[in-house]
Amino acid sequence: MAALHAVFARSSMSRKVEMVQQRSALESAAAHGGVSYGFLPAERLRAILLGSTPTDSERPQVYQALSETPLYRLATLAKEIDLPFEALDRRFEALFGQSLEDAQQWTPGGH
């Protein structure tokens, strides 16, 4: 019985890993943006990054989604939405007044 539980646990863990690996960079960033501030659909994040105006409640979600996603994943996200990385960086700066790289400079107690 213990062996069956071990096989099931490995199988379940494998499916979770596959699900995470199948997520696009956009979906991952959107999910991360919803961690502290509520659900942020990936398509809404895409629309905001392409120029739609975020609501006051979406702004912290977008900031968290992008500032806490590694730059290499943001480069992938930019490709997924057919936006040059430099344009993504400019969009972030227009929304938040700082570059993506500066936003990722974490210090104890916050950004």
Side-chain angles (χ1 to χ4, degrees):
M1 187 65 143
L4 181 60
H5 286 295
V7 168
F8 178 75
R10 278 193 301 269
S11 174
S12 177
M13 180 88 107
S14 175
R15 280 193 304 271
K16 287 178 186 176
V17 169
E18 286 174 16
M19 286 175 38
V20 170
Q21 290 175 345
Q22 291 176 357
R23 225 185 230 185
S24 70
L26 177 66
E27 292 166 332
S28 294
H32 191 75
V35 168
S36 299
Y37 301 102
F39 180 66
L40 177 64
E43 284 308 309
R44 181 62 185 145
L45 177 59
R46 182 182 195 281
I48 292 167
L49 297 178
L50 293 176
S52 183
T53 303
T55 65
D56 288 342
S57 63
E58 289 172 330
R59 288 180 64 78
Q61 295 170 312
V62 173
Y63 186 88
Q64 183 176 28
L66 300 181
S67 68
E68 297 182 10
T69 296
L71 290 174
Y72 79 92
R73 284 293 281 169
L74 291 178
T76 301
L77 184 157
K79 286 180 185 177
E80 288 174 0
I81 63 173
D82 295 321
L83 190 67
F85 182 81
E86 295 76 17
L88 178 64
D89 192 38
R90 284 192 303 274
R91 178 64 175 148
F92 186 84
E93 191 160 351
L95 289 169
F96 303 108
Q98 65 185 134
S99 71
L100 285 166
E101 186 175 359
D102 288 343
Q104 297 204 351
Q105 301 303 312
W106 185 86
T107 58
H111 288 283

